[in-house]
Amino acid sequence: MKTREDLVNLALSLCYADGGSGQDADPEDFSFVNNLVPSVLSSLDARKVYPYGDVDEIEDAPFTYLATCLAYTPAVAGRFGASIDQAAVMEAERMLREINAETFSYQTAKNLYF
């Protein structure tokens, strides 16, 4: 499981030209991106790309794709002078949809009585 802090740090490393070079982000930069997490995740949820729950318990499978979506939002990319990689965002959203896709077993549903 990954945390919101991990998500923000990965998004920031995608925005920095040098990949972040192992340095911690400036507190102002971290705070800026951290404050955008709810709106980005809410947008993905509203558009039926990926539902989210607890942002401090992010599963490993969607983690990098969520960070990509966060990093390449216009507000984040614009702040760091990064160009928005639309192809990367589209691929991330496609993968998030795939991860979230329901798989049907075509089995008869069993009723549970309490």
Side-chain angles (χ1 to χ4, degrees):
M1 288 286 188
K2 304 290 186 181
T3 65
R4 180 179 183 155
E5 183 178 338
D6 296 329
L7 182 68
V8 172
N9 283 326
L10 180 55
L12 283 167
S13 72
L14 292 172
C15 290
Y16 290 143
D18 62 358
S21 66
Q23 302 292 326
D24 287 338
D26 292 333
E28 301 84 27
D29 292 344
F30 184 90
S31 179
F32 177 80
V33 176
N34 188 47
N35 289 334
L36 292 174
V37 169
S39 63
V40 170
L41 294 181
S42 180
S43 172
L44 291 171
D45 189 18
R47 293 183 296 122
K48 308 286 189 237
V49 174
Y50 189 80
Y52 76 98
D54 186 353
V55 294
D56 281 317
E57 293 184 7
I58 303 169
E59 296 174 357
D60 291 336
F63 177 71
T64 56
Y65 304 114
L66 291 171
T68 299
C69 291
L70 179 61
Y72 295 122
T73 60
V76 175
R79 179 177 174 113
F80 299 103
S83 60
I84 297 174
D85 188 344
Q86 196 63 34
V89 172
M90 290 175 63
E91 175 64 10
E93 288 186 4
R94 185 189 70 76
M95 290 302 297
L96 288 168
R97 283 186 184 96
E98 189 174 309
I99 290 167
N100 186 44
E102 294 180 355
T103 55
F104 298 101
S105 65
Y106 300 102
Q107 300 288 328
T108 304
K110 296 179 184 176
N111 291 330
L112 298 175
Y113 296 100
F114 297 97

